[in-house]
Amino acid sequence: MPFYRFIIHGEGILTDDGCTGFYTTRRAFGRTKASAAEAALKMVREEWTAGEYEGWSNTLPSLTMEEGCEIGLRDLWKAPDKGSTFYSDSDTDRA
């Protein structure tokens, strides 16, 4: 089965330090890009319900698949597969 790397956008949260959204990268494999994308979204949802980010916000993020591409086995470990880059609404006003 092929491997894919996805950029996922989460929004609609409010953390104690004022963050309202985030971007994250996840890898997943699947028979199709769509099935791998659903697996990647599931991973991120689980982080917010019973994982690393549980309790960070009083609401769960709304997740959007921003981008995805097939990657080879050698590229599998080149990009991070955990962590997020958080932003606040005031950050987007500067753009």
Side-chain angles (χ1 to χ4, degrees):
M1 274 192 263
F3 288 93
Y4 298 87
R5 181 179 305 128
F6 299 99
I7 298 173
I8 299 169
H9 180 213
E11 59 187 340
I13 61 170
L14 183 57
T15 65
D16 289 343
D17 55 356
C19 293
T20 56
F22 63 92
Y23 286 91
T24 189
T25 303
R26 291 292 180 276
R27 295 183 301 262
F29 66 94
R31 291 193 185 281
T32 65
K33 185 176 179 180
S35 65
E38 188 53 45
L41 289 169
K42 182 180 177 185
M43 283 184 252
V44 175
R45 276 189 216 103
E46 289 174 352
E47 290 175 3
W48 283 89
T49 56
E52 180 179 354
Y53 300 118
E54 180 184 12
W56 275 37
S57 173
N58 58 359
T59 59
L60 294 177
S62 170
L63 301 176
T64 305
M65 187 64 63
E66 293 286 317
E67 193 175 313
C69 63
E70 187 172 339
I71 58 173
L73 192 56
R74 290 192 313 152
D75 295 323
L76 188 59
W77 306 113
K78 287 186 178 180
D81 196 42
K82 64 179 187 173
S84 299
T85 300
F86 290 89
Y87 65 86
S88 67
D89 286 334
S90 62
D91 292 337
T92 59
D93 292 340
R94 291 184 219 156

